């Protein structure tokens, strides 16, 4: 399959990063969102991140200009129908993703590959709601997309080998490394990472340590670049909780029970960096632990 044009649904943190790496690798990108403000912010973010790459001599000013020229934005989801590959990078809610695919499917070319950037939802189940389960895959990028080298590739039960091989080649062209995962709840990275974060929240909840000591312990004791609570704030506590629910529901094991304190933070709207408060308060000059 020849992939030249790529449609991306969702211009948020993940969507704009995916648009960035595809356009930089030479693909023509059509970026969609439901709000013009989101598209404007996405283009500003892409330009800022390209500037950072230019300043570090990773790319040239010409590369930056060419990359930006390859990205077009649209508020109309069905405009993506004529692209060769569509990657859905909307919010981590299955009903939202299903509605996107339902709207999009009647407008797709027969050869278009559909992919989801979901971090935990069943690829087989998402694919079954479309007209092309054999041309459907999970393509899970890590955040921040321009920096992180890994992409998880997840085949649904019906995904054919041609689709898988095509996506494998695309990941290589993006300059990234693919890790192939089976279609089980949360795949590889989040199956390991999010329960670790949940356990860190339990450690806080049970008073074993405060925010600062827990993060310091893992940074200096396990050589992690970020502490687990700092990382949770970066990911978004709502996303962490959603993935824990997927693990708990999908595997029916009590070890995946979300920590009540994580639930409480999400109920408060303290979702991390994106809302200004999570396990740290980001509203001042420097982040301050909230517990």
């Amino acid at each position: 399959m020849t992939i030249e044009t790529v449609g991306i649904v969702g211009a948020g943190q993940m969507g704009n990063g995916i648009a960035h790496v595809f356009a930089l690798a030479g693909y023509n990108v059509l970026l969609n969102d439901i709000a013009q403000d989101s598209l404007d912010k996405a283009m500003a973010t892409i330009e800022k991140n390209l500037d950072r790459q230019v300043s570090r001599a990773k790319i040239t000013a010409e590369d930056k200009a060419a990359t930006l020229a390859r990205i077009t934005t649209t508020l109309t989801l069905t405009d993506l129908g004529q692209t060769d590959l569509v990657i859905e990078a909307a919010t981590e809610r299955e009903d939202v993703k299903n509605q996107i695919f339902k709207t999009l499917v009647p407008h797709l070319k027969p050869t278009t590959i559909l992919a989801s950037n979901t971090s935990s939802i069943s690829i087989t189940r998402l694919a079954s709601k479309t007209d092309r389960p054999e041309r459907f895959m999970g393509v899970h990028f890590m955040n921040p997309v321009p920096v992180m080298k890994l992409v998880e590739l997840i085949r649904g039960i019906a995904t054919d080998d041609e689709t898988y091989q095509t996506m494998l080649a695309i990941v290589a062209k993006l300059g990234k490394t693919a890790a192939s995962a089976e279609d089980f709840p949360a795949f590889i990275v989040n199956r390991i990472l999010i329960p670790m974060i949940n356990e860190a929240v339990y450690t806080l909840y049970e008073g074993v340590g405060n925010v600062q000591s827990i993060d310091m312990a893992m940074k200096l004791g396990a050589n992690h670049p970020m502490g687990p609570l700092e990382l949770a704030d970066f990911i978004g506590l709502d996303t962490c909780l959603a993935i824990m629910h997927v693990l708990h529901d999908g595997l029916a094991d009590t070890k995946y029970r979300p920590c009540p304190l994580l639930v409480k933070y999400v109920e408060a709207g303290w979702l991390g960096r994106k809302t200004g408060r999570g396990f740290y308060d980001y509203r001042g000059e420097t982040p301050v632990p909230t517990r």
Side-chain angles (χ1 to χ4, degrees):
M1 299 179 194
T2 305
I3 306 294
E4 293 175 352
T5 56
V6 180
I8 296 163
V9 184
Q13 198 172 33
M14 297 304 293
N16 74 61
I18 295 167
H20 174 144
V21 297
F22 268 95
L24 185 59
Y27 294 94
N28 290 315
V29 173
L30 187 55
L31 180 61
N32 161 261
D33 202 279
I34 55 172
Q36 186 60 48
D37 183 49
S38 298
L39 292 171
D40 294 341
K41 281 182 183 168
M43 292 309 296
T45 300
I46 291 167
E47 184 159 14
K48 183 180 76 179
N49 289 337
L50 286 166
D51 282 335
R52 189 178 291 124
Q53 288 178 304
V54 171
S55 70
R56 293 177 181 171
K58 304 247 184 210
I59 63 171
T60 65
E62 291 75 20
D63 293 332
K64 174 198 162 183
T67 299
L68 289 171
R70 289 188 197 106
I71 305 173
T72 309
T73 61
T74 180
L75 291 168
T76 308
L77 178 60
T78 53
D79 286 351
L80 274 57
Q82 293 309 300
T83 58
D84 303 319
L85 164 67
V86 175
I87 299 176
E88 169 275 313
T91 188
E92 191 68 351
R93 279 178 46 198
E94 192 165 345
D95 58 332
V96 172
K97 295 179 187 297
N98 283 332
Q99 187 55 51
I100 287 166
F101 294 131
K102 184 180 177 183
T103 304
L104 203 48
V105 158
H107 302 273
L108 295 176
K109 297 189 296 184
T111 54
T112 299
I113 294 175
L114 274 180
S116 177
N117 182 57
T118 179
S119 53
S120 62
I121 298 167
S122 166
I123 298 304
T124 299
R125 202 163 60 235
L126 289 174
S128 72
K129 303 290 197 326
T130 75
D131 66 341
R132 61 197 66 211
E134 71 287 346
R135 289 177 184 270
F136 194 108
M137 273 198 72
V139 182
H140 179 216
F141 288 83
M142 305 297 127
N143 185 31
V145 181
V147 176
M148 300 294 275
K149 292 293 183 190
L150 185 78
V151 179
E152 276 185 311
L153 289 181
I154 308 99
R155 299 170 74 155
I157 198 167
T159 307
D160 65 26
D161 195 57
E162 189 182 5
T163 300
Y164 171 69
Q165 294 298 334
T166 300
M167 293 312 303
L168 209 53
I170 286 171
V171 170
K173 190 176 173 184
L174 297 178
K176 299 194 181 293
T177 301
S180 296
E182 292 300 315
D183 186 23
F184 290 103
F187 319 131
I188 296 171
V189 173
N190 285 328
R191 172 77 176 261
I192 297 165
L193 178 66
I194 302 299
M196 184 199 79
I197 287 173
N198 193 54
E199 196 60 34
V201 182
Y202 266 116
T203 307
L204 178 65
Y205 176 62
E206 292 167 6
V208 180
N210 61 24
V211 168
Q212 203 160 17
S213 61
I214 291 165
D215 277 351
M216 188 70 70
M218 293 309 289
K219 282 197 280 192
L220 299 186
N223 206 26
H224 289 189
M226 292 171 83
L229 301 175
E230 183 186 3
L231 181 57
D233 277 358
F234 181 73
I235 293 167
L237 304 194
D238 52 339
T239 301
C240 293
L241 180 59
I243 296 169
M244 285 308 300
H245 281 310
V246 166
L247 283 164
H248 195 234
D249 295 346
L251 299 168
D253 192 323
T254 55
K255 73 179 179 180
Y256 297 117
R257 185 170 69 98
C259 179
L261 184 61
L262 178 60
V263 174
K264 195 61 66 186
Y265 268 70
V266 172
E267 287 174 345
W270 291 19
L271 308 182
R273 285 177 181 265
K274 62 187 173 187
T275 58
R277 266 191 298 194
F279 292 112
Y280 293 85
D281 190 326
Y282 299 92
R283 295 172 300 171
E285 287 288 308
T286 54
V288 178
T290 53
R291 279 179 98 84

